[in-house]
Amino acid sequence: MEKVRAVVKEIAYAENHAKLSPLKRSVIIPVLSFASSLYTLALSLRHSLYRFRLLRNHRLAVPVISVGNLTWGGNGKTPMVEFIARFLADSGIPPLILTRGYAGGDEARMLERHLFGRPAKIGVGANRAAVAASYFERYGYFDPRISTSNQSPCLDQKVESHLNLEKIGAVILDDGMQHWSLQRDLEIVMVNGLTLWGNCQLLPLGPLREPLTALKRADVAVIHNADLVSEQNLKEIEHMIREVKESLPIFFTRMTPSHFFEVANINSKLPLGALSNTVILCVSAIGSANAFVTAMEKIGASYVDRLDFSDHHAFQARDVDMIRRRLEELEDKFDSKPIVVVTEKDYDRDSEILKHLHPFKVLALCSELQTISHIGCTENGFKKLLTEVLRVKLPGAN
């Protein structure tokens, strides 16, 4: 299955199909094209069912912020969800994050660790309206847009009238752009600046979940990994987005590494410089590994190798054997014991199986999302958009 996924990804991001093997051009691409046509038909039918209200979309009792994308993984959705959750929680608006918990819930576990100690809750399940309803019933809720005071407080002053931090004041949809059964007050679409939209074809021939025209539904676009993209390419990406929706605000983000921890001891904390002049094997099963590998190349390692698996892949014993063989090859080549580095998502998916690589050391890289100030778009500007969605309304205000 891993080989099949690798072939599909290669085709989706191939700049020139003429460079693909004859088998891929003559057999695999026609099969994927047919499957893509069926997907397009199903997508159109689903749109129609919602448009004619044969399928319902629910309005929740609190503001809803959706963070999603148009392609498969690797767009920075979960780090953005965490960024927003931190901001809301620190501003007195306890958020409920709704995630489907795909492939064992690695993202949910990572969010739980990162948000520990903050009044943020994480609900996991495919039926997000039902999950939200159960959390509202259990913890209660309040709408920060409704106030009985004569003044409209801002988030910087916090919503002091709601002292019970158990109550939910906002919902964040993780990977919510195609989850049409819930209405939202702000639609944020994440764009991977390194890979964009591949061949611009719909699944499975290409990486798109929806046509690019779906950008018209977005309220904000965020170009992720912007620090790894040239200024000229950033301008071209902005131009492509503006061609679909000229008025769409665009912001820029990056992942900034902070430290490592040992897989065998999550409480350990190693500085980035601890791996300088070492041989590193990057092992990951994430949507887009290039940014992760590039970060490792920048910390001063003497050599960086990589093993990439498909997004959310659950490591098996045979994978551990393959990783171990690569480590032994690197050790023979450089006469130095290489170190395995994984992402936090890989750790949270299954930390135990990674311990089977002993005696080789396995570290997890911790990173956090940061906004990049670019052509007038700043972190304060992004947070201002969030505050506008959550602004307390005066009684009788429109």
Side-chain angles (χ1 to χ4, degrees), residues 40-160:
T40 303
L41 182 63
L43 188 66
S44 177
L45 175 61
R46 187 163 174 255
H47 265 298
S48 298
L49 291 174
Y50 276 102
R51 186 168 62 250
F52 294 110
R53 304 193 179 188
L54 297 175
L55 288 178
R56 287 184 56 201
N57 58 358
H58 304 269
R59 165 63 70 180
L60 298 184
V62 300
V64 176
I65 298 172
S66 169
V67 180
N69 57 272
L70 293 180
T71 63
W72 53 44
N75 299 274
K77 296 184 303 296
T78 304
M80 175 56 76
V81 166
E82 180 186 336
F83 179 91
I84 295 171
R86 285 176 179 271
F87 172 65
L88 296 182
D90 293 345
S91 301
I93 308 288
L96 168 63
I97 299 170
L98 295 178
T99 177
R100 51 186 183 163
Y102 183 74
D106 50 0
E107 293 160 344
R109 284 193 289 271
M110 185 175 73
L111 286 169
E112 285 175 355
R113 285 193 298 106
H114 286 194
L115 296 171
F116 180 77
R118 284 183 166 87
K121 299 170 181 65
I122 302 172
V124 179
N127 188 338
R128 303 194 206 188
V131 173
S134 68
Y135 271 76
F136 290 164
E137 182 178 357
R138 180 177 179 181
Y139 296 103
Y141 63 88
F142 68 93
D143 188 341
R145 297 168 297 188
I146 299 174
S147 174
T148 56
S149 66
N150 293 324
Q151 292 185 339
S152 179
C154 66
L155 287 180
D156 289 336
Q157 298 169 324
K158 299 188 178 181
V159 184
E160 299 290 351

Side-chain angles (χ1 to χ4, degrees), residues 191 193 196-197 223 229-243 250 252 374:
V191 178
L196 283 182
W197 303 289
I223 301 175
V229 181
S230 69
E231 186 67 28
Q232 180 59 37
N233 285 345
L234 283 178
K235 289 180 180 178
E236 292 175 1
I237 296 170
E238 287 183 76
H239 178 70
M240 293 175 69
I241 294 173
R242 302 268 187 226
E243 281 189 325
I250 300 175
F252 307 85
H374 184 70

Side-chain angles (χ1 to χ4, degrees), residues 133-363:
S134 68
Y135 271 76
F136 290 164
E137 182 178 357
R138 180 177 179 181
Y139 296 103
Y141 63 88
F142 68 93
D143 188 341
R145 297 168 297 188
I146 299 174
S147 174
T148 56
S149 66
N150 293 324
Q151 292 185 339
S152 179
C154 66
L155 287 180
D156 289 336
Q157 298 169 324
K158 299 188 178 181
V159 184
E160 299 290 351
S161 59
H162 299 280
L163 298 178
N164 185 359
L165 294 180
E166 287 288 291
K167 290 186 177 181
I168 296 163
V171 163
I172 307 171
L173 290 180
D174 182 16
D175 199 5
M177 191 164 188
Q178 287 76 41
H179 193 81
W180 303 330
S181 63
L182 281 182
Q183 297 180 34
R184 64 284 318 269
D185 299 277
L186 187 70
E187 184 83 79
I188 300 173
V189 59
M190 304 294 295
V191 178
N192 188 340
L194 291 174
T195 56
L196 283 182
W197 303 289
N199 58 15
C200 293
Q201 300 293 320
L202 291 177
L203 296 170
L205 180 60
L208 286 179
R209 297 174 173 181
E210 295 185 77
L212 291 181
T213 52
L215 284 169
K216 293 178 181 178
R217 300 201 314 270
D219 299 303
V220 180
V222 177
I223 301 175
H224 190 50
N225 294 322
D227 58 318
L228 305 178
V229 181
S230 69
E231 186 67 28
Q232 180 59 37
N233 285 345
L234 283 178
K235 289 180 180 178
E236 292 175 1
I237 296 170
E238 287 183 76
H239 178 70
M240 293 175 69
I241 294 173
R242 302 268 187 226
E243 281 189 325
V244 179
K245 188 172 182 178
E246 186 175 356
S247 61
L248 190 63
I250 300 175
F251 292 86
F252 307 85
T253 58
R254 67 183 175 194
M255 293 303 296
T256 302
S258 57
H259 64 278
F260 300 101
F261 66 81
E262 295 182 16
V263 166
N265 179 15
I266 192 174
N267 294 318
S268 61
K269 188 173 183 179
L270 288 77
L272 298 177
L275 265 62
S276 61
N277 300 316
T278 61
V279 177
I280 294 175
L281 175 61
C282 295
V283 178
S284 64
I286 55 179
S288 179
N290 287 343
F292 165 53
V293 175
T294 300
M296 289 298 91
E297 291 172 341
K298 289 182 176 181
I299 67 169
S302 59
Y303 184 81
V304 177
D305 199 359
R306 62 192 289 177
L307 276 175
D308 301 343
F309 296 84
S310 59
D311 196 16
H312 296 289
H313 174 73
F315 294 126
Q316 307 293 326
R318 62 179 178 272
D319 300 320
V320 172
D321 291 339
M322 179 172 63
I323 296 169
R324 185 179 291 278
R325 286 195 299 271
R326 180 68 67 86
L327 288 168
E328 290 169 351
E329 291 171 3
L330 291 171
E331 186 174 14
D332 290 341
K333 181 177 181 180
F334 294 97
D335 195 26
S336 174
K337 213 168 197 63
I339 297 173
V340 177
V341 179
V342 300
T343 70
E344 281 192 273
K345 281 179 62 175
D346 298 307
Y347 168 84
D348 283 307
R349 194 175 307 117
D350 188 350
S351 60
E352 289 303 314
I353 196 167
L354 295 171
K355 296 176 183 178
H356 294 171
L357 290 169
H358 181 79
F360 293 98
K361 183 179 289 187
V362 184
L363 305 180

